[in-house]
């Protein structure tokens, strides 16, 4: 099922997620949640989705940066072991619809996490995957890409979204 995505400035997006209990990963409920998150992400459409965005405050995220939407990736209890370089990339966010801004992040990262089978893996990422992993991991810390904007610009974003919500209502 598609899950409702929380939208800025909803304070629940600021919650810091807690580690997933590895013994829960194999449960039907957790596997169903992963499936629902992929369905929600592909439908949005998006290239990533953090559990925080669907009001589940546990440390996991789903990503698929492939052109064909056929490379689903699950990162549970992710941690960045190493990072290097700097790269500016235009980012969007399903929790801040219609807003795009440039963000500077590490160019290359080594991320360690558990996969959907609960197996530990390490991955060297660069390019859009590295950007997306860092963007999703920020969500798990209650951070949004608009936090990298000036307070003035962030206020403009808040007003723009509030207006869009009024018009939609
Ligand atoms: O809010 C999210 O976490 C999803 C976000 C991830 C992201 C996008 C761009 C840079 C970093 C992280 C999105 O997927 S926004 C939508 C988007 O960028 C996109 C949608 C369809 C095709 C390609 C990109
Ligand atoms: Zn986002």
């Amino acid at each position: 099922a598609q899950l409702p995505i929380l939208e800025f400035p909803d304070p629940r997006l600021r919650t810091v997620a807690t580690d997933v209990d590895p013994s829960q990963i194999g449960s039907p409920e957790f596997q169903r949640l992963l499936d629902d998150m992929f369905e929600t992400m592909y439908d949005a459409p998006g290239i990533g989705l953090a559990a925080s965005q669907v009001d589940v405050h546990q440390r996991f995220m789903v990503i698929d940066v492939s052109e064909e939407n056929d490379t689903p990736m699950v990162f549970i209890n992710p941690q960045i072991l190493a990072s290097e370089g700097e790269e500016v990339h235009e980012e969007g966010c399903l929790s801040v619809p219609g807003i795009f801004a440039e963000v500077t992040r590490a160019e290359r990262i080594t991320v360690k996490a558990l996969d959907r089978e609960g197996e530990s893996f390490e991955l060297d990422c660069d390019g859009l995957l590295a950007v997306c992993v860092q963007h999703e991991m920020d969500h798990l810390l209650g951070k949004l890409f608009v936090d990298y904007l000036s307070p003035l610009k962030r206020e403009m974003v808040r007003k723009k979204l509030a207006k869009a919500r009024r018009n939609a209502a």
Side-chain angles (χ1 to χ4, degrees):
Q2 282 180 46
L3 305 170
I5 296 177
L6 298 178
E7 289 193 1
F8 176 78
D10 191 316
R12 290 171 289 180
L13 283 168
R14 298 309 187 171
T15 310
V16 178
T18 56
D19 271 3
V20 172
D21 171 358
S23 71
Q24 290 309 306
I25 294 173
S27 72
E29 294 75 20
F30 191 81
Q31 291 295 315
R32 172 65 182 277
L33 185 50
L34 289 176
D35 292 340
D36 288 349
M37 283 185 60
F38 275 114
E39 182 183 342
T40 304
M41 179 188 76
Y42 288 126
D43 178 77
I47 56 173
L49 189 66
S52 314
Q53 295 178 270
V54 291
D55 204 18
V56 172
H57 301 293
Q58 294 184 56
R59 280 185 65 74
F60 67 100
M61 64 224 210
V62 298
I63 289 179
D64 186 339
V65 294
S66 69
E67 289 295 313
E68 304 296 316
N69 279 350
D70 58 0
T71 317
M73 303 174 86
V74 173
F75 296 80
I76 299 168
N77 300 335
Q79 56 192 72
I80 291 182
L81 299 183
S83 64
E84 68 179 46
E86 274 199 1
E87 186 191 16
V88 180
H89 198 282
E90 180 163 79
E91 300 191 9
C93 183
L94 297 176
S95 295
V96 191
I99 305 294
F100 298 89
E102 289 197 338
V103 178
T104 302
R105 296 188 190 271
E107 184 188 9
R108 292 177 58 86
I109 56 172
T110 302
V111 56
K112 178 177 183 180
L114 301 177
D115 63 18
R116 73 177 298 163
E117 282 74 40
E119 295 296 314
S120 182
F121 69 93
E122 284 187 26
L123 188 66
D124 277 336
C125 316
D126 62 4
L128 184 57
L129 180 57
V131 173
C132 192
V133 166
Q134 293 174 83
H135 176 110
E136 303 310 333
M137 286 184 69
D138 269 359
H139 274 299
L140 301 177
L141 290 171
K143 225 168 145 54
L144 298 172
F145 84 112
V146 292
D147 298 342
Y148 297 99
L149 304 181
S150 68
L152 187 68
K153 205 144 185 315
R154 188 162 48 253
E155 185 52 23
M156 283 163 58
V157 166
R158 203 185 55 71
K159 286 201 175 76
K160 182 175 176 186
L161 288 178
K163 184 165 183 280
R165 259 192 293 274
R166 275 199 301 280
N167 294 348

